[in-house]
Amino acid sequence: MEQKMASALPLITAVVSTRNRDDRVVRTIRSILDNDYPHFKIIVVDQSQDGSTESSLKPFQADPCFYYIRSDTEGISAGRNLGVSKAQSEIIAFTDDDCEASPQWLSELVAAFLSDDRIGIVFGNSLPGRYDRRLGFIPAFVRREPFLTNRIDQMHHINGSGACMGIRKSLWHLLGGFDEALGVGAPFQSAEEMDFTFRALLANGFVYEVPEVMVVHHGFRTWEQGKTLIQSYLYGIGAMIVKHLKCGHWAVIYLLFHLAWRWAFGRPVVDFGHRPSKILRLRAFINGFWAGAIHPVDRAKGLFRDRKKR
């Protein structure tokens, strides 16, 4: 009976893109395998420069739920795109290689998608793991109440990240995947989830943020490392904003206005453990905006062009 019930539930695939995390990604994979959802697969895309991560993951390779890909690609967006392309499920889950999924992570993600067929993206909460607050911080995002929208003028209310994210593969196909110029390890360093969400809303897709979907983030940063991280966030956002201006997506001005208000009068939605310097954030945004402005864009697809393929 339990086997029949499990087979009636939709398959979900968890995609983890990793690079040079050695045995640290093991905790991520183990936490996903310990989920209570009965019908799932895991795809790990390993972009590491040596074989240490592969060696750490060898004990999982006998598990029929686990699928490993060694890849020469660079950047988290390229890794995610490769993982999604290999997935056989409509529902895809993402987390990062320094996160630990809650036991209900996959079941809550599936429940969120099943609550409304129009939902194309689900974000959850990224809670900080234990750390010494005197030495630094762990970036975190916590939403207290659920939020559902398909309105582009409400984009500024969506603040989840790829550390705890789910999508429909059909939406990924429609949008042409994640922009591989954005995100960690790519030229513009971040904002791949924001960009994907913006393009989904342009296509009238629904985005749902759900507090019950949770992971624990263990990505500790010292205060000095935090400056680099914050700069990369704003650099990517600046590039993403100007890309959509170049594509004629004028609705991005709504988002730009609200981001400017948040910079001037509010504080970042992501918890950096302190209020970052406004000058630091503004300088990084302007640098990203300028770099994105001179980078070629495929206006039809809404993606940056790969200069290597020109």
Side-chain angles (χ1 to χ4, degrees):
M1 179 64 73
E2 290 183 2
Q3 189 173 5
K4 287 183 178 180
M5 291 178 64
S7 62
L9 293 169
L11 176 67
I12 182 170
T13 303
V15 173
V16 180
S17 181
T18 187
R19 179 177 172 85
N20 299 335
R21 282 296 166 93
D22 301 335
D23 59 346
R24 286 172 289 177
V25 70
V26 169
R27 174 168 52 186
T28 304
I29 304 307
R30 185 176 292 121
S31 71
I32 298 172
L33 288 171
D34 287 343
N35 258 241
D36 62 7
Y37 192 74
H39 196 31
F40 69 92
K41 302 286 185 182
I42 301 174
I43 295 177
V44 173
V45 178
D46 182 7
Q47 300 174 325
S48 299
Q49 295 170 301
D50 58 35
S52 56
T53 301
E54 182 177 7
S55 297
S56 297
L57 294 173
K58 274 193 182 301
F60 298 114
Q61 296 199 25
D63 193 310
C65 292
F66 182 86
Y67 183 54
Y68 173 87
I69 302 172
R70 186 67 184 269
S71 175
D72 292 330
T73 59
E74 295 183 13
I76 195 167
S77 290
R80 287 176 181 162
N81 282 340
L82 178 56
V84 176
S85 73
K86 301 296 184 182
Q88 297 179 340
S89 62
E90 166 68 353
I91 301 177
I92 312 291
F94 300 109
T95 191
D96 290 341
D97 57 4
D98 58 359
C99 291
E100 190 173 6
S102 68
Q104 298 79 35
W105 181 56
L106 294 176
S107 57
E108 292 289 357
L109 262 174
V110 171
F113 279 108
L114 294 183
S115 68
D116 191 326
D117 290 341
R118 300 172 300 173
I119 293 171
I121 302 175
V122 173
F123 287 111
N125 284 345
S126 178
L127 310 177
R130 297 178 63 182
Y131 66 99
D132 189 336
R133 295 178 181 273
R134 297 169 300 175
L135 302 178
F137 67 98
I138 294 178
F141 169 74
V142 179
R143 175 178 284 282
R144 305 296 180 185
E145 301 293 334
F147 179 74
L148 174 67
T149 189
N150 73 329
R151 291 174 49 184
I152 197 71
D153 63 338
Q154 293 186 337
M155 171 73 188
H156 59 287
H157 291 304
I158 302 167
N159 298 290
S161 75
C164 188
M165 180 182 185
I167 65 170
R168 292 190 189 272
K169 188 171 181 177
S170 53
L171 176 65
W172 176 85
H173 273 299
L174 177 67
L175 301 181
F178 290 92
D179 191 325
E180 296 187 5
L182 297 169
V184 175
F188 296 121
Q189 305 174 17
S190 71
E192 74 282 1
E193 308 100 326
M194 179 183 286
D195 174 73
F196 191 87
T197 300
F198 183 82
R199 289 186 287 128
L201 292 173
L202 283 177
N204 203 37
F206 277 74
V207 183
Y208 193 24
E209 288 194 347
V210 190
E212 290 77 14
V213 179
M214 290 182 292
V215 301
V216 176
H217 187 204
H218 296 288
F220 176 79
R221 303 294 200 285
T222 64
W223 297 119
E224 195 61 33
Q225 290 171 331
K227 292 179 182 178
T228 301
L229 179 69
I230 293 163
Q231 285 176 314
S232 70
Y233 279 0
L234 273 297
Y235 186 83
I237 292 172
M240 173 258 174
I241 292 288
V242 74
K243 178 186 75 168
H244 287 289
L245 289 174
K246 291 171 70 175
C247 290
H249 300 154
W250 306 118
V252 78
I253 295 173
Y254 283 110
L255 177 60
L256 180 59
F257 170 81
H258 286 284
L259 290 175
W261 186 94
R262 190 181 294 169
W263 172 82
F265 304 109
R267 61 182 304 152
V269 174
V270 175
D271 183 4
F272 293 112
H274 69 298
R275 191 184 294 266
S277 162
K278 288 183 179 180
I279 298 301
L280 177 76
R281 290 153 60 197
L282 180 61
R283 185 183 297 120
F285 178 88
I286 291 172
N287 288 340
F289 192 96
W290 171 248
I294 62 176
H295 195 101
V297 170
D298 185 329
R299 289 177 170 82
K301 294 181 179 179
L303 302 172
F304 282 115
R305 291 187 185 274
D306 185 346
R307 283 190 165 129
K308 297 178 183 178
K309 298 179 180 178
R310 292 183 66 191

